[in-house]
Amino acid sequence: MRLATVRDGSRDGRLVVVRRDGDAVLDARSVARTLQDALDRWDACAASLRALAATLDAGDVDGEPLDPDQLLSPLPRAYEWIDGSAYLNHVRLVRKARGAEPPPTLETDPLVYQGGSGVLLAPTEDIPLQDPAWGLDLEGEVCCILGDVPRGTRASEAARCVRLLCLANDVTLRSLVPAELAKGFGFFQSKPATAFSPFAVTPDELGPAWRDGRVLLRLTVRWNGKVVGDLDAGPEMHFSFLDLVQHVAKTRAFTAGTILGSGTISNADRARGWSCIAEQRALELIDHGEATTRFLAAGDTVELEMRDGAGRNVFGTIAQRVVPG
């Protein structure tokens, strides 16, 4: 089952189910007004939402044509947005480029930060750039949307907390990062609003491509129409989503509607490309002593998507343009 949120003039939009081909949607407000409403009452709503999706896929109802520009983020605002860094190749590269050693617990203790969740960008919404000197970057990620997570949840129990999966472009202002980290208190100004994919999908929708808390599909990243990344999201995700849930729930409970990100998808094989400019610049610094790839500028376009073995665009496409802010 795939779900989306359509603009209706309200903050949270209206919930729809998405036809399998991605070309039509069916209003789901007879079951739940919004995705957050559905997540709050998941046990009562999930079967009815699946039934709506089945009628749409079977052609029993026509639905309404899908207009990507009318879609909000599946959750236009979320209770929490927590981002990990589960791809250790990315961590090692960016730290090596700046002459910093990885933390000694890199392979045993996930890195996470908590981002802003009150304003989330729609999948086709412009990215405002107030000052080009801030170093605007994209970051391609896989995310899960959680149900209620009790404090102390173990990885072995965490699969039951994963309700939906989606993609994210976790925008970063790279030039603002060093000064913030030097304060020893984490990211804030350097992490503006994140964009999410048009569709949020139930894990079973991926079939065997969802395994052991990982999405075993390739992320395609295009910059100004050129493919710069064709990355395998599965094998090199050192910490699975189940591991990340265990980590964040060690001392806290989380409410339904929390979004948990994988961090920048990264592969050791350079032929796969990259999903954030900082990683490419790190490679240039390591190899040549100078970073030559520029950051994003006004007028640039960025696209992220994942296709399954049949070529279906599982999560829809994040397609954004950078504009002067």
Side-chain angles (χ1 to χ4, degrees):
M1 172 174 66
R2 297 193 291 176
L3 303 173
T5 296
V6 175
R7 298 178 188 273
D8 68 352
S10 69
R11 282 179 181 263
D12 300 311
R14 62 182 174 95
L15 181 64
V16 295
V17 295
V18 181
R19 198 167 68 195
R20 184 166 179 79
D21 63 7
D23 291 337
V25 298
L26 182 63
D27 194 294
R29 286 177 296 178
S30 61
V31 179
R33 295 176 296 104
T34 65
L35 180 54
Q36 183 60 54
D37 181 23
L39 291 164
D40 286 338
R41 301 183 294 112
W42 191 256
D43 289 342
C45 293
S48 297
L49 290 171
R50 289 182 185 278
L52 282 178
T55 63
L56 186 60
D57 287 339
D60 297 336
V61 293
D62 292 332
E64 56 188 283
L66 185 145
D67 179 356
D69 290 334
Q70 290 304 306
L71 296 183
L72 296 168
S73 167
L75 284 172
R77 52 179 174 168
Y79 282 108
E80 300 195 57
W81 159 228
I82 304 164
D83 199 16
S85 193
Y87 295 87
L88 302 191
N89 182 66
H90 174 77
V91 179
R92 292 186 175 111
L93 282 177
V94 296
R95 294 206 175 203
K96 182 177 181 180
R98 67 173 190 258
E101 289 293 323
T105 58
L106 179 67
E107 296 185 9
T108 58
D109 196 25
L111 297 168
V112 297
Y113 85 92
Q114 190 154 358
S117 59
V119 177
L120 301 176
L121 297 182
T124 60
E125 191 168 352
D126 291 340
I127 306 171
L129 177 56
Q130 184 174 340
D131 186 343
W134 290 349
L136 179 63
D137 199 356
L138 68 147
E139 287 190 51
E141 305 191 15
V142 186
C143 303
C144 63
I145 300 175
L146 301 172
D148 289 322
V149 179
R151 180 174 57 84
T153 296
R154 306 295 297 173
S156 59
E157 307 164 322
R160 67 189 184 197
C161 302
V162 177
R163 297 285 183 256
L164 299 161
L165 302 165
C166 61
L167 302 180
N169 179 14
D170 181 36
V171 178
T172 303
L173 299 169
R174 295 293 179 187
S175 299
L176 301 186
V177 169
E180 290 202 295
L181 292 183
K183 298 176 184 178
F185 215 56
F187 304 117
F188 195 85
Q189 292 178 335
S190 56
K191 302 299 291 189
T194 301
F196 291 87
S197 56
F199 312 144
V201 312
T202 49
D204 64 299
E205 187 78 14
L206 274 63
W210 170 250
R211 186 164 72 243
D212 299 327
R214 296 172 175 85
V215 173
L216 307 182
L217 294 174
R218 289 186 182 176
L219 175 75
T220 299
V221 182
R222 290 186 288 269
W223 183 6
N224 292 330
K226 178 184 177 181
V227 175
V228 295
D230 179 29
L231 298 144
D232 195 336
E236 293 179 66
M237 187 181 185
H238 182 79
F239 298 105
S240 73
F241 280 117
L242 311 184
D243 298 323
L244 292 175
V245 168
Q246 174 177 295
H247 178 78
V248 300
K250 180 176 180 178
T251 60
R252 297 162 61 179
F254 294 91
T255 192
T258 296
I259 307 174
L260 179 61
S262 67
T264 304
I265 297 173
S266 177
N267 291 167
D269 181 359
R270 295 189 183 187
R272 291 276 181 220
W274 43 267
S275 69
C276 81
I277 297 170
E279 186 168 309
Q280 173 64 9
R281 287 170 61 87
L283 289 170
E284 292 165 353
L285 281 167
I286 293 166
D287 291 347
H288 308 295
E290 180 184 8
T292 55
T293 300
R294 66 172 175 83
F295 288 113
L296 299 175
D300 284 351
T301 60
V302 172
E303 297 172 280
L304 298 92
E305 65 185 29
M306 269 187 172
R307 294 185 180 270
D308 62 17
R312 184 176 59 139
N313 192 351
V314 179
F315 302 101
T317 303
I318 298 175
Q320 297 180 275
R321 182 178 296 276
V322 180
V323 299

